[in-house]
Each structure stands twice: as C-alpha cells, then as structure tokens.
Amino acid sequence: MPGLDVAVFGATGAVGVEMVKILEERKFPVNSLRLLASRGGRSMEWRGRPTPVEAVGPSSFEGIHTALFAVEGDVSREWAPVAARGGAVVIDNSSAFRMDPEVPLVVPEVNPEDIAHHKGIIANPNCSTIIALVALAPLHRAAGLKRLVASTYQAVSGAGKAGLEELERQVQAHARGTTAVASVFPYPIAFNLIPHIDAFDEDANTKEELKMRDESRKILRAPDLRVSCTCVRAPVLRSHSEALTIETERPLSPDEARKILMNAPGVKLLDNPAERSYPMPLYASGQDLIHVGRVRRDDSVEEGRNGLVLWVSGDQLRKGAATNAVQIMEKVSETLRETA
Ligand SMILES: NC(=O)c1ccc[n+]([C@@H]2O[C@H](COP(=O)([O-])OP(=O)(O)OC[C@H]3O[C@@H](n4cnc5c(N)ncnc54)[C@H](OP(=O)(O)O)[C@@H]3O)[C@@H](O)[C@H]2O)c1
C-alpha cells in the first residue's frame, strides 16, 4: 500500500492544526487527507496547497484507514464508533474512551505494546499525564514508583484556541488600561493562577486531577500507585510545566535518576543549576522532547524511604496531544501496511 487515507477531525482547533503540521513534518505516508470540523466553507494548508475543511457527516469516514480525533468528548463519543465501524482506526484525544478497559491508552515511549490490543479506537492520554509519564516511566522501571505528588502549571492553549485568544485579549486590554471579561476561564487568567481545571467532584478534586491519577495507573499498570495532584491554569500561552515529587520502592539517587533520564526516549535533560539550566515552558514550546530538570532528593520523606523531586516542561499541543497521536498512528500504519 503506497500510503494511507487519513482524516483529521477537529482540524481547525488548537490540536488539529498541530496534527496536520506534524503529519507533514514527520512525512507520514498520507495518500489522501480529509479535514473535518463542525462546518465547512474554509480551507487549510496541506503540502503547500489550500485543502477544504468539510463538515463532519455520516459519510465522512468512508474509505478512511486512520482518523485522528481532536474534538471534545461528547463529539468523539458520537463519531468515533461510526468511524471505527466503517473500518478506520481512530486515535482519540478526548477523555471519552481513556478509561475504557477495551481501549488502549498509549504513550509510545512507555507502553507501545498496548496498541496491538485495539478494537478500532486508541486513546491519547491527557496532556499533563503524557508529559509526566515520559519522564517518570524510566524511573518507575528502574526503582518502582510508589507515590506521586504532582503540581501542574498548565498553559491556556490547553483549553483550546479559545483559551489562547482569551489570554491574548486580556493582556492587550491590560496594556490599554482596560479589562477584558473572562469567558473561557472562571476568572481573569492574565497575571493570575487558577487552581481549577475541569469540574470538581464531591471530594473537591477536579476531573483534570483525577484523570492524571487514573490514567497514570492504567498506562504504568500500577493500580496501587498513590497519586495526589493539584492542577493549575497559568498565564502561559503554550507548554505545561509540572513539579513532580515521587517516592520509589528502591533507592534512586539524583545522579542515578539523571543518568537514566539522559538516555530516556522522548526526554531532554536540562539540569545544571550552576549554569541556570532548567526546563521552562517558553523553551519547551514547538518541541517534541519533554524537558526535565531540577532533579533532587526529597528530604521530607521518612528515614529509610526514597524520595525525589523533578521539574518538567513539555509542549502540550505537540507531545501532549498531536505528536503523541501521530506516533501512535505511525505504529498502527506499520501493521496496516504490512497486512494490506
Ligand atoms: N489543547 C490541548 O492542549 C489539548 C491537549 C490534549 C488533549 N486535548 C483534547 O483535544 C480535543 C481538542 O482540543 P482543542 O484544544 O484542539 O480544542 P479547540 O481548539 O476548541 O478545537 C475544537 C475542534 O473541534 C471542532 N468541533 C467543535 N464542536 C464540534 C462539533 N459539534 N462537531 C464537529 N466538530 C466540532 C472545532 O471545529 P470548528 O472550527 O468547526 O468549531 C475544532 O476543530 C479535546 O478533546 C481536548 O480535551 C487538548
């Protein structure tokens, strides 16, 4: 088979635009590309040519081999089964199917073997989960993760195109001496931090925090992993950062952890405090590697226990969403092309 017939659903959104770019950058063997969104009448550039965006409909996935979904969960829930029934392999970025035991939840650097068990739908994990696990999985393999405490600093583009536009609007209004109202976020995000992403549950955790806990357990196959998260929206345009405090079964010194991370797939170690070298979202943006640094001992653990602290930054639109999905699709396409 010379190439695959591919659809990108949600092509006009923050993640979809990146998907189209990354398919081209990574020279994915696309035979034909169908761009889908809520409405047509627009075009996007693909291989240097304007390509029409179509409104999604019952025949949108006919003849499609693989479909990248970058739409909200309720839209995925409606259309992913339609595409999968028609024979396409769907890689879905929403939270709709992530905890379904029948659906593999995959970070290719961590659990690529799970892809083989798919039944038409493969889920891309939450962006903060991907960014944390690219750094933590190699440490887990070396020393066994027992406990994770994560505090996130999440960029506004994590809330899509509208989130990005809201921060830009508020910053411009501030420069003019006026204020722009908040509509995407519950409070002004410019010059602020909002410890509230997605809905609260009855225990006062947010869904975003629970996604990180549940998805990490599923991907690492560590159902007993103890996780506590605080997810915070920060006035950063792009790339999420996370402070990760871990406790491991076996001892792991900061030097050993750095050695492991230096050779870990998908990781760029930036950890030289004397040279002011550490991860920052501005510099992780536009890249696929997760930047890891500030590796140090956690002295707050009890005597005889093993604690480490790390700081990571990663482009959540690329590795936290679009790149991860395209990497999965690359692995799926190897099988599809072999069996064609
Ligand atoms: N942003 C991130 O950093 C990030 C990271 C990981 C995962 N995700 C997930 O990826 C998905 C997309 O997020 P995003 O940030 O790209 O959102 P976005 O910027 O708001 O884009 C949403 C896309 O969905 C389309 N759409 C909206 N309602 C639709 C409907 N009823 N029918 C068909 N298409 C519809 C939009 O098309 P129109 O242009 O026609 O409205 C647009 O292409 C979400 O599930 C999100 O949770 C996002």
Side-chain angles (χ1 to χ4, degrees), residues 9-17 36-39 42 53 56 69-73 75-76 78-79 92-95 98 124-127 130 155-162 211 240 316-317 320-322:
F9 182 24
T12 52
V15 173
V17 164
L36 302 165
S38 70
R39 58 190 169 81
R42 296 168 284 178
V53 175
V56 71
F69 272 46
V71 290
E72 286 306 318
V75 183
S76 282
E78 180 180 356
W79 291 103
D92 181 47
N93 267 261
S94 79
S95 58
R98 289 181 191 149
N124 222 37
N126 171 265
C127 40
I130 296 177
V156 291
S157 52
K161 231 165 46 176
K211 280 179 219 166
H240 292 353
Q316 97 291 347
L317 289 174

Side-chain angles (χ1 to χ4, degrees), residues 178-241:
T178 59
T179 46
V181 289
S183 59
V184 176
F185 302 111
Y187 291 94
I189 184 61
F191 316 108
N192 197 12
L193 292 169
I194 306 176
H196 174 188
I197 302 178
D198 211 332
F200 285 102
D201 77 352
E202 60 282 2
D203 294 322
N205 288 303
T206 62
K207 276 195 190 165
E208 185 81 354
E209 290 155 356
L210 298 177
K211 280 179 219 166
M212 217 168 147
R213 180 194 70 191
D214 298 341
E215 294 178 20
S216 298
R217 288 175 174 166
K218 178 171 174 176
I219 296 163
L220 295 176
R221 293 205 186 84
D224 300 326
L225 181 66
R226 284 179 285 141
V227 182
S228 169
C229 275
T230 303
C231 291
V232 178
R233 188 70 70 194
V236 166
L237 289 175
R238 185 167 172 148
S239 291
H240 292 353
S241 300

Side-chain angles (χ1 to χ4, degrees), residues 8-275:
V8 176
F9 182 24
T12 52
V15 173
V17 164
E18 296 296 318
M19 285 171 163
V20 173
K21 219 192 286 176
I22 290 165
L23 284 171
E24 195 159 340
E25 259 175 47
R26 292 175 75 99
K27 300 189 171 38
F28 186 86
V30 176
N31 180 42
S32 71
L33 184 68
R34 195 169 291 165
L35 302 174
L36 302 165
S38 70
R39 58 190 169 81
R42 296 168 284 178
S43 68
M44 287 173 65
E45 189 147 314
W46 165 248
R47 291 181 176 160
R49 293 214 193 105
T51 304
V53 175
E54 300 167 35
V56 71
S59 60
S60 292
F61 302 99
E62 276 171 17
I64 293 294
H65 296 111
T66 61
L68 294 171
F69 272 46
V71 290
E72 286 306 318
D74 50 348
V75 183
S76 282
R77 245 176 248 112
E78 180 180 356
W79 291 103
V82 173
R85 265 197 307 276
V89 179
V90 174
I91 295 135
D92 181 47
N93 267 261
S94 79
S95 58
F97 304 100
R98 289 181 191 149
M99 295 314 295
D100 183 332
E102 298 282 291
V103 174
L105 181 65
V106 177
V107 181
E109 290 83 351
V110 181
N111 60 335
E113 64 284 356
D114 288 351
I115 293 173
H117 309 301
H118 80 81
K119 296 186 169 121
I121 301 175
I122 302 169
N124 222 37
N126 171 265
C127 40
S128 299
T129 311
I130 296 177
I131 291 166
L133 291 194
V134 169
L136 293 181
L139 304 181
H140 175 56
R141 278 192 284 272
L145 220 56
K146 267 170 59 173
R147 179 164 178 250
L148 163 66
V149 179
S151 303
T152 71
Y153 304 68
Q154 297 185 213
V156 291
S157 52
K161 231 165 46 176
L164 198 68
E165 287 161 7
E166 179 143 310
L167 175 58
E168 281 170 344
R169 235 183 354 260
Q170 289 177 1
V171 169
Q172 283 159 8
H174 179 85
R176 290 193 305 269
T178 59
T179 46
V181 289
S183 59
V184 176
F185 302 111
Y187 291 94
I189 184 61
F191 316 108
N192 197 12
L193 292 169
I194 306 176
H196 174 188
I197 302 178
D198 211 332
F200 285 102
D201 77 352
E202 60 282 2
D203 294 322
N205 288 303
T206 62
K207 276 195 190 165
E208 185 81 354
E209 290 155 356
L210 298 177
K211 280 179 219 166
M212 217 168 147
R213 180 194 70 191
D214 298 341
E215 294 178 20
S216 298
R217 288 175 174 166
K218 178 171 174 176
I219 296 163
L220 295 176
R221 293 205 186 84
D224 300 326
L225 181 66
R226 284 179 285 141
V227 182
S228 169
C229 275
T230 303
C231 291
V232 178
R233 188 70 70 194
V236 166
L237 289 175
R238 185 167 172 148
S239 291
H240 292 353
S241 300
E242 305 175 23
L244 304 171
T245 301
I246 57 168
E247 199 179 321
T248 54
E249 302 276 357
R250 298 177 289 286
L252 187 67
S253 71
D255 273 347
E256 285 168 326
R258 272 190 285 270
K259 255 184 225 137
I260 292 167
L261 290 164
M262 211 181 294
N263 298 307
V267 168
K268 180 172 183 178
L269 186 68
L270 291 170
D271 198 15
N272 189 349
E275 302 275 327

